[in-house]
Amino acid sequence: MLVVIQKVGTRLFRVFEELADRFFGPKLNPFYQLGGLAFFFYWIVAASGVYLYIFFETSVTEAYNSVERLTHEQWYLGGVMRSLHRYASDAMVLVVVVHLLREFCRGRFNGVRWFSWVSGVFLLWLMYASGVGGYWLVWDELAQFVAVLTSEWLDWLPIFNMAMARNFLNEAHLSDRFFSLLSFLHIGIPLVFLLVMWIHIQRISQPKSNPVGGLAWRVLLAMVVLSLIKPAISMDPANLDKVVTVVDLDWFYLGVYPLMDSWSYGSVWLLLGGGSFALMLLPLVVRPKRISVAEVELENCNGCERCFVDCPYGAVVMQARTDGLPYEKEAVVDPDQCVGCGICVGACPTATPFRRQGAHVAGIELADFAISELRERTINAAEALSGENKVFVFGCDHGDELNSLKSDSVAVMSLPCIGFLPPSFIDFLISRNYADGVVLTGCRDGNCHHRFGIDWTEQRLTNQRDPGLRQRVSRERLSRLWYGAGHIKQLRKELTAFQEKLKILGPNRVKKNRVSDGDVDGEELRGDL
Amino acid sequence: MTQLLWSDDFCIGVESIDHEHRELIILLNEICQALGGKSGIVKDKLMGELFARISAHFALEEKIMRNHRYDRYQEHKLDHDKLLDELREIMDDHEASGYASAEKLVKALVSWFTLHFKSEDARLHRQLG
């Protein structure tokens, strides 16, 4: 049932993400930076908040007027700040909810991600507490509506016991002191919010806590334009001696208040509290699939740290040597953090098909998919190829299903992540004439399921990241197609075009009488050539 | 038969690097001996082994250079990459013929090592020392 929702959700997201790709391009696509955008909106809210606070009067009688002065007399600056403050807060709710839904669809709530998910539930409460508190301070009719309902709702809990709501009984009861408390809360709660935002990203390596520059200024500009054309304004001043009947709701933050009005407070507690509880239990209820984690082979590891640097999940750490060899460090995998993407293997300098002695080839390997097995399967698939323009297609388990691309001249192999493929495999295939060309495909550019697989692969192929693809390998025999799932037709078209191009390029350096690559190590199966 | 003998000149003062230099020289000598008689497969395996171990060695050396903010890092790394390319050239050109006429090129490898030790690695030693 959950899987169906996730699949449908993923398809929906794909539609919007690809639409956004067309306007923004993969680097600026907001769907790939939702968390960073949330942080960005926070900073806009904080900065505008500081400005507003300078002019805000915290007494009950003067609060409303100070906001009115800012909004109307200082419309060009204070008014813009107020609107920015409101719209960036609303935008934050929007990106946070989309972020939540997206992570849910991608299954990022259990296993190693439980921490981010559960801290995120707390963040929802803090975000709403921050936003709702802000509406109180304006002390207009909307604030009155919100304040009365919120305090009565909170008073439903045994700990408060009707005390808070009494402040709002009538005009005489609301004191300056209580109002000052509210304004301090509106600073204090957002600060706690920021602290938990920081905690939320602690277990993510290289978190995107800022949107890319090009997206950031565009978003800020859009917010400023919105603030100028539709300024945020107050309703009539609050009057506790009257009951508020008509309100101009901000549906982003205050959508639950009509419910509070028509349902009982207990029901709303059940809805919100029960819902939050259910969200937090999700990692326990829906268990992750069994993963083949990475394992370090100390005899092949010299502590070069490439796997440590490349791991997208911080699952590899460097620790002091334990096997007595004269190396300072060794790589250590934390199986609780490892998701089995294999990007570490792609980074390891000893993960190469040229090496074929010993049971273990590389310093770090996936338990279920050793380099020796990758080598064997690659060679077997390639040896079955015939004709000219032989192509080997490497893809990933999260991109399209590749089997329909198979033919006499095309071999395919799906990997946990394209970042798992050591570049020397490409060198191996082409230089030993197993293939005339190699195609790399997988997830959509900017949307790698394992965060950095595509980026690291691209950087390795352009020698900006080690291990690089040796310069001597002709890049014309290499094609990278980062379309993502759902584009098999396009893949097939590109593959055909690539084969045409290879035909024009002509034959590879032909290796006749290739020394057998498929024998068992340590034995001389064939005589001297 | 070419042989590369270990010399204390090759020490750069970092235990892990010196250890790997020693191991690599042993392997190189093994390859030089194998050129004389062993089968093409054995020679190819040894070359593959050399390729993997040199790749790992360079990765470690480069990490150490970065950690020490070594000023000639880019040049030294360029030298490493050139060597790996040359090694791959030798492997590609001679693997099919069982490395029959590879002795000259392997000699070139050996003298590259000696030169690299004496120049780049020795300078590294002075900087790190």
Side-chain angles (χ1 to χ4, degrees), chain A residues 171-190:
Chain A
E171 283 292 312
H173 273 81
L174 188 62
S175 69
D176 278 346
R177 189 170 296 169
F178 184 72
F179 206 76
S180 294
L181 170 68
L182 291 180
S183 56
F184 275 125
L185 282 179
H186 188 57
I187 297 172
I189 295 177

Side-chain angles (χ1 to χ4, degrees), chain A residues 302 304-306 326-327 354-356 427 431-432 466 470 472 509 511 515 519-522 528-529, chain B residues 15-16 19-20 39 41 44-45 48-49 56 59-60 62-63 77 81 85 88-89 92-93 95-96:
Chain A
N302 63 6
C304 78
E305 295 190 6
R306 283 196 192 155
Y327 300 116
F354 295 106
R355 173 185 237 178
R356 45 197 180 118
D427 184 6
S431 64
R432 302 241 160 148
D466 287 321
R470 308 239 58 79
R472 53 200 304 285
R509 280 171 54 163
K511 316 302 304 304
V515 172
D519 62 326
V520 181
D521 72 311
D528 286 342
L529 286 170
Chain B
E15 214 193 325
S16 53
H19 166 78
E20 286 194 329
S39 78
I41 293 171
D44 190 51
K45 277 190 188 160
E49 186 64 21
L60 179 63
E62 285 158 20
K63 180 207 80 134
K77 185 174 179 7
D81 287 334
D85 280 345
R88 286 286 302 114
E89 287 286 344
D92 275 358
D93 290 342
E95 168 245 346

